[in-house]
């Protein structure tokens, strides 16, 4: 049975998620603001959950319709074939959001959606009592410009929860954003790779996972594995296939940070990711490294500086970093910062910029190719 799926993602990475899906031969890939659609069966759904690096979750599209009144929403939801998915005991909480739409009260839309599903299920399943004590099927709705999409979330805990990052240093970057930067840099593991502000190690771990073909979801479970409307063994099959494709070999990947605590945490996370001995970690001040003649790729997330004093300190770091990196014209540099004046302090205009969001913080990825 074929379905349409939707992969929500951080703003700014839609194109990367679409590329990932197309490269991995998913069908009918269509990118929109903040999300990407594709078609496939439940085995493809499992493959997306296990392998996607840049998307946040995989939602099964139950239906879509226009809704400008609560009646339209109720009837639209009720018309969908809920009995094909939800059983007598499944729990089906509802959440959602509304953007640029007449129906803007999320709470009202939530309760109307719930009511419509309950009514349909009671009728179709021939029962007056839905226990909701069984496996969870999280219902989601999105209203955008009065177009309503209704989904069931197949993922559960978001895809950025890879499982390797128990230990966190201050201000860690989201795993999906780190993976997106690695993808923007087209890093494939053939050349040296550096993160000189490694913190908890997210960027080097994501770089290593991409280069070694380690699927981020190969060792975690997904909500849809507890459902009963399809053969859930497809998830185990996809995990096994992904693990068989892994190629864990030592690569020239280097992580450093000025803080001993960050180094301890980074080392712990590398171990948790099964990459012990494959990434070199050392304590260094990024502004005091002798970069002379270095080649390859550097991706870093230096401190942003939220308060004024911190901002001044962060800007000092950008200035000193810019000066130190002048010695490595061959090194490709990708630096993410929320500071609009980053280039002024770094001392060089970026060859290219890309707007990315680190959670809610608007950032730019400053790219230097020479
Ligand atoms: C925004 S955090 C990096 C977070 C990291 N990307 C992660 O996912 O955990 C910035 C890091 O820069 C480090 N740092 C600050 N000044 C530094 C310097 N001069 N040299 C190297 N690291 C520095 C901090 O210790 C902190 O770990």
């Amino acid at each position: 049975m074929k379905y349409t799926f939707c992969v929500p993602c951080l703003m700014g990475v839609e194109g990367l998620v679409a590329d990932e899906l197309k490269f991995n031969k998913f069908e009918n890939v269509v990118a929109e603001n903040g999300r990407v659609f594709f078609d496939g069966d439940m085995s493809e759904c499992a493959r997306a959950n296990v392998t996607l690096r840049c998307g946040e979750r995989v939602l099964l599209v139950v239906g879509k319709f226009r809704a400008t009144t609560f009646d339209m929403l109720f009837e639209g939801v009720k018309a969908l074939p809920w009995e094909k998915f939800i059983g007598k005991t499944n729990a089906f909480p509802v959440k959602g959001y509304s953007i640029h739409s007449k129906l803007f009260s999320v709470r009202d839309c939530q309760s109307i959606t719930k009511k419509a599903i309950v009514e349909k299920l009671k009728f179709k399943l021939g029962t007056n009592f839905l226990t909701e004590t069984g496996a969870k099927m999280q219902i989601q709705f999105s209203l955008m410009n009065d177009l309503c999409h209704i989904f069931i979330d197949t993922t559960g805990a978001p895809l950025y929860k890879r499982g390797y990052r128990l230990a966190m240093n201050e201000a860690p970057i989201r795993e999906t954003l780190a993976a997106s930067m690695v993808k923007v840099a087209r890093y494939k593991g053939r050349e040296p790779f550096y993160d000189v502000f490694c913190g908890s190690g997210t960027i080097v771990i994501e770089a290593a996972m991409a280069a070694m073909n380690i699927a981020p979801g190969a060792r975690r479970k997904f909500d849809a594995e507890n459902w009963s409307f399809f053969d859930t063994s497809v998830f185990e099959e996809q995990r096994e296939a992904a693990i068989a494709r892994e190629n864990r070999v030592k690569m020239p990947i280097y992580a450093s940070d000025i803080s001993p605590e960050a180094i301890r945490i980074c080392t712990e996370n590398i171990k948790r990711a099964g990459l012990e001995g494959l990434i070199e970690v050392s304590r260094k001040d990024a502004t005091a490294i002798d970069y002379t003649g270095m080649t390859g790729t550097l991706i870093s997330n230096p401190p942003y500086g939220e308060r004024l004093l911190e901002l001044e300190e962060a800007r000092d770091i950008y200035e000193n970093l810019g000066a130190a990196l002048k010695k490595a014209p061959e090194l490709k540099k990708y630096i993410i910062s929320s500071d609009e004046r980053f280039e002024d302090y770094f001392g060089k205009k970026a060859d290219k910029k890309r707007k990315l969001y680190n959670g809610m913080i608007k950032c730019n990825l400053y790219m230097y190719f020479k």
Side-chain angles (χ1 to χ4, degrees):
M1 179 80 186
K2 282 253 176 173
Y3 302 100
T4 296
F5 296 93
C6 171
V7 182
C9 57
L10 292 167
M11 296 295 273
V13 309
E14 301 85 351
L16 299 174
V17 174
D19 284 352
E20 236 191 316
L21 286 162
K22 283 182 198 159
F23 181 81
N24 290 305
K25 308 264 181 304
F26 286 92
E27 284 176 17
N28 300 333
V29 176
V30 181
E32 269 185 15
N33 260 352
R35 59 192 189 181
V36 184
F37 292 88
F38 72 93
D39 290 342
D41 58 16
M42 288 309 287
S43 169
E44 291 292 84
C45 165
R47 187 161 73 91
N49 270 303
V50 170
T51 61
L52 283 180
R53 293 183 198 283
C54 307
E56 300 296 313
R57 47 181 75 250
V58 182
L59 308 173
L60 187 157
V61 180
V62 185
K64 64 172 177 182
F65 49 87
R66 235 178 80 78
T68 52
T69 65
F70 288 136
D71 272 352
M72 285 167 88
L73 178 64
F74 185 86
E75 293 306 328
V77 174
K78 199 175 156 203
L80 300 174
W82 292 105
E83 68 283 2
K84 287 191 186 154
F85 302 105
I86 304 179
K88 273 184 183 162
T89 59
N90 284 121
F92 52 101
V94 179
K95 64 180 178 188
Y97 61 87
S98 169
I99 300 172
H100 302 311
S101 296
K102 291 202 179 59
L103 297 179
F104 58 84
S105 162
V106 168
R107 274 184 69 164
D108 287 330
C109 293
Q110 238 169 321
S111 55
I112 284 165
T113 302
K114 179 84 185 188
K115 208 165 154 218
I117 302 173
V118 167
E119 205 161 288
K120 178 70 171 267
L121 283 177
K122 279 184 175 171
F123 174 69
K124 283 286 182 182
L125 302 179
T127 176
N128 249 328
F129 189 54
L130 299 162
T131 64
E132 294 207 47
T133 50
K136 180 169 142 191
M137 302 185 96
Q138 177 71 55
I139 310 298
Q140 283 202 24
F141 62 83
S142 75
L143 272 155
M144 273 195 209
N145 301 315
D146 299 326
L147 180 65
C148 182
H149 276 89
I150 305 280
F151 311 105
I152 311 178
D153 177 14
T154 72
T155 304
L159 292 178
Y160 67 79
K161 295 214 166 149
R162 320 290 211 206
Y164 64 74
R165 205 171 71 179
L166 271 195
M168 288 207 283
N169 195 31
E170 58 196 82
I173 201 164
R174 194 181 278 189
E175 293 82 342
T176 39
L177 180 57
S180 301
M181 296 194 294
V182 169
K183 204 161 165 49
V184 168
R186 298 206 178 92
Y187 171 68
K188 301 269 177 348
R190 292 187 203 105
E191 53 189 27
F193 184 96
Y194 305 88
D195 178 4
V196 292
F197 296 89
C198 70
S200 52
T202 323
I203 296 173
V204 281
I205 293 173
E206 291 297 326
M209 286 172 65
M212 297 175 199
N213 216 6
I214 301 170
R219 288 168 182 82
R220 57 158 282 177
K221 293 270 188 178
F222 303 93
D223 268 11
E225 290 182 71
N226 303 317
W227 301 351
S228 52
F229 76 85
F230 69 101
D231 177 2
T232 54
S233 64
V234 290
F235 277 87
E236 196 49 42
E237 280 164 30
Q238 290 298 337
R239 274 194 292 262
E240 279 172 15
I243 288 172
R245 289 192 296 265
E246 289 178 359
N247 180 29
R248 289 174 192 257
V249 289
K250 185 146 172 61
M251 289 184 178
I253 302 178
Y254 307 94
S256 57
D257 197 287
I258 200 165
S259 143
E261 182 61 0
I263 295 306
R264 188 189 67 71
I265 291 170
C266 178
T267 307
E268 176 68 18
N269 287 339
I270 287 173
K271 200 164 142 193
R272 290 184 53 81
L275 297 166
E276 199 176 7
L278 303 181
I279 297 175
E280 270 182 42
V281 187
S282 58
R283 189 178 160 218
K284 279 180 196 159
D285 176 349
T287 62
I289 295 175
D290 181 5
Y291 294 96
T292 310
M294 272 165 56
T295 58
T297 304
L298 177 147
I299 305 183
S300 280
N301 162 215
Y304 294 159
E306 294 292 311
R307 287 182 289 267
L308 189 60
L309 191 65
E310 291 170 7
L311 183 66
E312 279 171 17
E313 281 170 18
R315 286 178 167 173
D316 277 348
I317 293 177
Y318 302 160
E319 208 170 332
N320 296 330
L321 182 70
L325 280 171
K326 281 210 176 90
K327 293 191 179 149
E330 299 289 307
L331 181 65
K332 286 173 277 164
K333 308 157 195 86
Y334 298 81
I335 301 169
I336 186 164
S337 174
S338 63
D339 191 340
E340 292 284 345
R341 296 198 53 204
F342 171 82
E343 290 161 298
D344 296 339
Y345 289 90
F346 188 71
K348 197 174 173 190
K349 267 232 146 323
D351 294 309
K352 218 172 151 186
K353 277 197 285 192
R354 188 177 180 131
K355 205 186 293 165
L356 290 173
Y357 283 79
N358 187 10
M360 295 305 283
I361 307 173
K362 189 177 132 204
C363 298
N364 270 302
L365 180 64
Y366 297 93
M367 307 180 223
Y368 298 89
F369 305 129
K370 52 193 173 319

